[in-house]
Amino acid sequence: AENRPWVAELGQGMTVSLRTPQWKLIPAANHDRAELSWPATGHNGNIIELGDSTQPQLFNVASDPNETTNLAAEKPEKVAELTELWKKVVPNK
């Protein structure tokens, strides 16, 4: 199999995120279901991100593996870079 520097993840809310060894991008949703959905929780009680935010989310998974700090506002250039890659990976988006 070919080694790729990224992987696409299909989340519980049917959102496709893009993950590299250091970063995870959950793109902005083109809808706002956040008002309609309730916080989903995992078996350990942690909140599960469903990808319903109308704002992109960027996590440094190397230093924040639990994805607790959204860095999208601080790193718009990384959001733009990963969003362009995401558009190539996810058809019809």
Side-chain angles (χ1 to χ4, degrees), residues 9 19 24 26 49 59 61 64-70:
E9 297 178 328
R19 185 172 175 150
K24 179 175 180 179
I26 302 173
E49 173 54 54
F59 300 99
V61 293
D64 180 18
N66 293 323
E67 301 172 15
T68 60
T69 304
N70 182 1

Side-chain angles (χ1 to χ4, degrees), residues 9-32:
E9 297 178 328
L10 179 60
Q12 185 169 345
M14 300 308 289
T15 298
V16 179
S17 61
L18 187 75
R19 185 172 175 150
T20 70
Q22 183 174 0
W23 300 103
K24 179 175 180 179
L25 172 73
I26 302 173
N30 59 5
H31 62 275
D32 189 2

Side-chain angles (χ1 to χ4, degrees), residues 28-92:
N30 59 5
H31 62 275
D32 189 2
R33 292 188 317 219
E35 298 172 358
L36 304 175
S37 55
W38 59 92
T41 56
H43 69 279
N44 59 1
N46 290 345
I47 300 288
I48 297 172
E49 173 54 54
L50 297 176
D52 291 334
S53 175
T54 55
Q55 300 299 314
Q57 298 173 73
L58 178 70
F59 300 99
N60 184 334
V61 293
S63 64
D64 180 18
N66 293 323
E67 301 172 15
T68 60
T69 304
N70 182 1
L71 299 172
E74 295 174 32
K75 299 202 172 285
E77 71 289 342
K78 183 55 73 174
V79 171
E81 173 191 332
L82 293 176
T83 297
E84 286 306 308
L85 177 57
W86 180 86
K87 288 177 181 177
K88 293 175 184 175
V89 171
V90 180
N92 302 318

